[in-house]
């Protein structure tokens, strides 16, 4: 069975400030939110963390992107760009080595058993600057009421091994982030750089 959850939001259980603080942004970067859902992270990034920066909010779910575009238009936001796209293919309008930092939140586990894993990583590498960063935040492989089935979750150790195969090395790791559960925090965040 294929795991899909288009358009869902993590806003009700993950703190955007906690996540964006981990990225250590300096305020003028180009940021890409890969699999942005309702765009709550991108909105907060532009509003508080990237006053001179730019954010691409990318999702394959047309309805989410439509609603985000309406938000951008209604608020005259020039530096938030919603893009409807499949991140396993070339993201339109995003040039080679043009992004300082990519964030993929609660998305990569969906590619665990998929042959598209390679396509996703290669596209993230394509758009990321030579000194840029790729941040992956995902559910720990522990039982909890939210999130994907435990058998498709990926530990941070396994995640690092996967990305290492594509010439990406770990730059930063936070093993405890996200919602508090009886077994501990729900997520980890790992940041990669090109070798």
């Amino acid at each position: 069975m294929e795991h899909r959850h288009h358009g869902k939001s993590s806003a009700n259980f993950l703190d955007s400030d906690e996540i964006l603080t981990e990225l250590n942004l300096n305020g003028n970067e180009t940021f890409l939110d890969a699999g942005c859902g309702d765009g709550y992270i991108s909105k907060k990034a532009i509003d508080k963390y990237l006053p001179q920066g730019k954010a691409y909010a990318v999702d394959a779910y047309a309805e989410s992107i439509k609603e985000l575009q309406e938000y951008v238009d209604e608020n005259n936001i020039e530096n938030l760009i919603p893009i409807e796209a499949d991140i396993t293919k070339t993201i339109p309008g995003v040039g080679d080595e043009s992004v300082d930092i990519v964030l993929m939140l609660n998305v990569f586990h969906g590619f665990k058993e998929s042959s598209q894993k390679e396509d996703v990583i290669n596209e993230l590498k394509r758009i990321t600057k030579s000194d840029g960063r790729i941040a992956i935040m995902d559910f720990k492989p522990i039982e909890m009421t939210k999130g994907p089935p435990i058998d498709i979750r990926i530990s941070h150790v396994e995640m690092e091994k996967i990305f290492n195969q594509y010439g990406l090395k770990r730059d930063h790791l936070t093993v405890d982030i996200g919602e508090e559960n009886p077994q501990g925090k729900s997520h980890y965040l790992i940041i990669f750089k090109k070798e």
Side-chain angles (χ1 to χ4, degrees):
M1 187 173 76
E2 196 172 1
H3 170 66
R4 290 258 182 236
H5 55 102
H6 289 311
K8 284 196 177 171
S9 179
S10 307
N12 61 342
F13 69 97
L14 292 177
D15 180 355
S16 56
D17 284 309
E18 181 183 31
I19 296 162
L20 290 161
T21 299
E22 281 288 319
L23 302 183
N24 200 23
L25 298 166
N26 64 29
N28 62 1
E29 294 99 333
T30 297
F31 170 81
L32 187 136
D33 187 356
C36 66
D38 66 0
Y40 85 103
I41 293 279
S42 296
K43 289 178 194 172
K44 177 61 75 79
I46 286 299
D47 185 50
K48 186 173 175 184
Y49 294 88
L50 295 166
Q52 287 89 43
K54 173 167 72 172
Y56 295 106
V58 181
D59 204 285
Y61 187 59
E63 194 57 37
S64 290
I65 295 301
K66 180 173 172 264
E67 288 174 13
L68 192 53
Q69 186 63 59
E70 287 168 2
Y71 171 85
V72 165
D73 294 342
E74 286 165 11
N75 293 282
N76 297 312
I77 300 168
E78 294 180 5
N79 58 346
L80 174 54
I81 301 143
I83 300 172
E84 182 188 340
D86 178 348
I87 56 177
T88 66
K89 299 178 172 67
T90 301
I91 300 169
V94 182
D96 294 355
E97 298 198 355
S98 63
V99 175
D100 294 291
I101 184 152
V102 173
L103 173 65
M104 183 177 276
L105 172 61
N106 291 345
V107 174
F108 195 83
H109 64 260
F111 300 106
K112 179 179 180 181
E113 303 301 333
S114 164
S115 57
Q116 294 180 309
K117 183 169 52 187
E118 181 173 354
D119 297 332
V120 171
I121 295 172
N122 284 332
E123 179 59 2
L124 298 184
K125 278 182 69 178
R126 178 190 75 79
I127 63 173
T128 305
K129 292 179 179 178
S130 58
D131 61 347
R133 297 173 294 150
I134 298 169
I136 307 293
M137 184 168 162
D138 223 316
F139 289 93
K140 291 180 182 177
I142 56 176
E143 290 290 352
M144 61 183 84
T145 56
K146 294 181 182 72
I150 196 163
D151 62 320
I152 67 164
R153 296 179 186 215
I154 307 172
S155 72
H156 68 82
V157 174
E158 187 183 352
M159 189 73 79
E160 185 170 354
K161 284 180 183 167
I162 291 168
F163 276 75
N164 287 169
Q165 293 169 2
Y166 297 90
L168 294 157
K169 62 178 185 204
R170 186 181 83 192
D171 182 60
H172 174 84
L173 172 65
T174 300
V175 293
D176 289 308
I177 188 169
E179 186 179 50
E180 198 63 63
N181 285 281
Q183 307 90 331
K185 297 263 190 174
S186 57
H187 288 68
Y188 61 86
L189 186 142
I190 186 166
I191 299 176
F192 298 99
K193 290 188 108 168
K194 295 180 180 179
E195 291 187 89

